[in-house]
Amino acid sequence: MIDNVNSVPPVTEKGCRITALMESGGVTEVDRTGDNQPNFTRRRKLQENFNVFADDYRYNKKKKPENSSVSGGFIINDQVQLGTTSEVKKVEESSVTCRSHGSISLIGRRREMEDAVAVKPGFLSKGSKKFDYFGVYDGHGGSRVAHACRDALHSLVIQQVSKEEEEEDINWEKVMAESFCKMDGKVNEEGTEMATMGSTAVVAVVGEEEVIVANCGDSRAVLSRGGVAVPLSIDHKPDRPDELDRIERSGGKVINWNGQRVLGVLATSRSIGDMYLKPYVIPDPEVIVSKRSDADEFIILASDGLWDVIPNDVACDVTRRCLNGQMIRRFEQQSKSHATDDQSSEGIKGGLADCAASFLAELAIGRGTRDNISVIVVELNGSVSSSTDGA
């Protein structure tokens, strides 16, 4: 056993990984291999930019919370590369239920990229209703479960909806519960090779009249409604009172090993996969169905690489400033001042939602996150971007 637990860095795939834990609480193997040397120059620059942003954010929040501009932007065309090449995914497909959307995935300071995102505009029609699909999947133990969810979970949702009766009203709680359960079954059919792998999943199905969010794990969805950050999911953490009670009633334990973990191993109490931790870790999603209103501005879906270091309200405020164009000039200035001959500012031309997702991801790295970061921004209506059109 390791005496000084506090000195161990946060668990990563190949760094400080607990590969097995017996019911007695004994650790059979611990790999404390160090991380790759980070890019200290880049990290310092990001931290300095974050400090500037944070100071300016606090000042403007106090003085002019709605109309003030934000200082301390980041370079969009200079994507973060710490450890290895980042996977960056920008979405350009047209949507049927929202104004725009953009997404990004960065490896951050991890050795491996285990996150995945799925964006499926117009993935489902039911009678006269049409829906878009957005999903963020945060893998652990490897990327295969997250990739499997990215490739198949939306198809399972379609299959479940097709089994519903002819009425247009859909029992979304039942559809999501059965879809997540089937996804979990498909992953577990892979056998021992994937038994120690899993993934969180937060999914938003956006219709013209409603938004459905299904969450399993500690990724999160947040809605900005009338300038207020409204959580559409609650993180499944092992020390959440109801989750702790469920785990203990099923015979499991929550052990403090660099944070509260199921059997001292997993820092989330629900996930798809993780067959070796059942029945303590379950794939059942919590589903929230919200009626859309004219005050709904946008939704942020992200892995905990963002939420561990950026509060809901700050993320929404930053996104709002990106969507209403206040960040564009700073992006352009930063890009021009740092671009080389073979670089351009194309990174800011993918749309305001792309800018918002990219800015949030880099802000999280500047704030010191150690995890992969995946972000999807879904602009629900034009009220944000049009609010400053006449300014």
Side-chain angles (χ1 to χ4, degrees):
M1 298 294 290
I2 298 174
D3 294 328
N4 188 8
V5 174
N6 293 328
S7 65
V8 183
V11 174
T12 61
E13 162 58 9
K14 291 185 178 179
C16 188
R17 182 180 59 183
I18 307 172
T19 58
L21 186 86
M22 309 304 292
E23 291 186 359
S24 62
V27 179
T28 60
E29 179 182 351
V30 176
D31 180 3
R32 296 186 62 186
T33 304
D35 294 335
N36 286 346
Q37 289 296 322
N39 186 327
F40 290 106
T41 302
R42 176 64 174 165
R43 183 185 176 195
R44 184 171 59 251
K45 178 182 176 183
L46 288 170
Q47 182 62 54
E48 291 172 353
N49 280 337
F50 176 83
N51 292 335
V52 172
F53 166 80
D55 292 341
D56 188 78
Y57 172 82
R58 285 190 291 267
Y59 173 80
N60 285 293
K61 190 70 173 176
K62 180 178 180 181
K63 294 292 184 180
K64 296 182 292 181
E66 295 299 329
N67 300 318
S68 57
S69 61
V70 178
S71 298
F74 294 107
I75 308 166
I76 293 300
N77 67 339
D78 182 17
Q79 296 295 354
V80 176
Q81 295 183 1
L82 302 178
T84 186
T85 303
S86 300
E87 175 190 353
V88 180
K89 187 173 183 180
K90 298 292 181 64
V91 179
E92 298 180 354
E93 301 95 330
S94 60
S95 171
V96 298
T97 66
C98 54
R99 179 182 174 90
S100 67
H101 54 270
S103 69
I104 187 170
S105 290
L106 297 180
I107 191 172
R109 296 181 62 201
R110 286 292 181 90
R111 293 190 191 182
E112 298 182 24
M113 185 62 182
E114 296 178 329
D115 282 6
V117 298
V119 177
K120 305 292 179 181
F123 92 114
L124 175 65
S125 296
K126 179 74 170 179
S128 61
K129 296 182 178 180
K130 297 180 180 180
F131 300 90
D132 295 328
Y133 179 100
F134 306 93
V136 170
Y137 313 107
D138 183 358
H140 44 264
S143 62
R144 291 181 58 184
V145 177
H147 289 174
C149 292
R150 176 196 62 194
D151 297 337
L153 186 52
H154 64 280
S155 298
L156 294 176
V157 173
I158 295 174
Q159 293 175 17
Q160 289 303 127
V161 171
S162 67
K163 296 179 181 179
E164 293 282 297
E165 298 180 358
E166 293 302 320
E167 291 81 0
E168 288 192 20
D169 290 338
I170 301 172
N171 186 342
W172 283 110
E173 290 189 6
K174 178 181 177 182
V175 166
M176 289 300 183
E178 294 186 0
S179 299
F180 276 57
C181 183
K182 287 186 176 182
M183 188 72 243
D184 183 69
K186 286 181 175 292
V187 169
N188 291 330
E189 288 174 359
E190 298 295 327
T192 56
E193 186 177 359
M194 292 180 67
T196 60
M197 299 183 189
S199 176
T200 70
V202 60
V203 168
V205 174
V206 181
E208 295 173 324
E209 300 177 356
E210 57 192 354
V211 174
I212 303 94
V213 170
N215 179 57
C216 175
D218 56 5
S219 294
R220 189 184 306 166
V222 177
L223 167 71
S224 179
R225 172 174 286 171
V228 178
V230 180
L232 294 182
S233 65
I234 303 175
D235 299 353
H236 293 123
K237 294 293 188 181
D239 56 350
R240 206 178 96 175
D242 56 341
E243 291 293 282
L244 176 61
D245 181 64
R246 177 185 59 79
I247 293 168
E248 292 180 341
R249 281 190 288 105
S250 63
K253 299 179 181 179
V254 174
I255 300 172
N256 188 352
W257 186 282
N258 294 315
Q260 300 296 323
R261 302 175 182 273
V262 179
L263 299 187
V265 178
L266 191 61
T268 179
S269 57
R270 299 193 189 191
S271 70
I272 294 173
D274 292 307
M275 183 171 61
Y276 75 119
L277 287 174
K278 297 185 183 306
Y280 320 124
V281 175
I282 61 176
D284 303 0
E286 289 185 311
V287 182
I288 294 179
V289 180
S290 303
K291 293 294 183 182
R292 290 184 60 170
S293 73
D294 293 338
D296 293 348
E297 299 169 317
F298 53 83
I299 300 172
I300 305 171
L301 293 88
S303 58
D304 62 344
L306 176 77
W307 303 118
D308 283 349
V309 294
I310 305 295
N312 293 355
D313 58 341
V314 175
C316 286
D317 197 66
V318 169
T319 300
R320 186 178 303 105
R321 294 168 187 268
C322 289
L323 293 179
N324 66 24
Q326 294 182 22
M327 293 291 191
I328 291 298
R329 289 184 179 178
R330 179 160 297 276
F331 286 153
E332 292 175 343
Q333 293 171 358
Q334 293 274 9
S335 297
K336 290 178 181 179
S337 62
H338 292 87
T340 60
D341 293 338
D342 60 345
Q343 290 177 329
S344 67
S345 59
E346 292 182 356
I348 66 174
K349 297 179 180 179
L352 295 176
D354 281 335
C355 287
S358 299
F359 191 93
L360 287 173
E362 289 222 27
L363 190 63
I365 292 179
R367 189 66 181 87
T369 186
R370 298 178 61 89
D371 208 346
N372 304 143
I373 313 104
S374 293
V375 184
I376 300 177
V377 173
V378 182
E379 187 180 9
L380 296 177
N381 59 53
S383 62
V384 180
S385 56
S386 64
S387 62
T388 58
D389 287 347

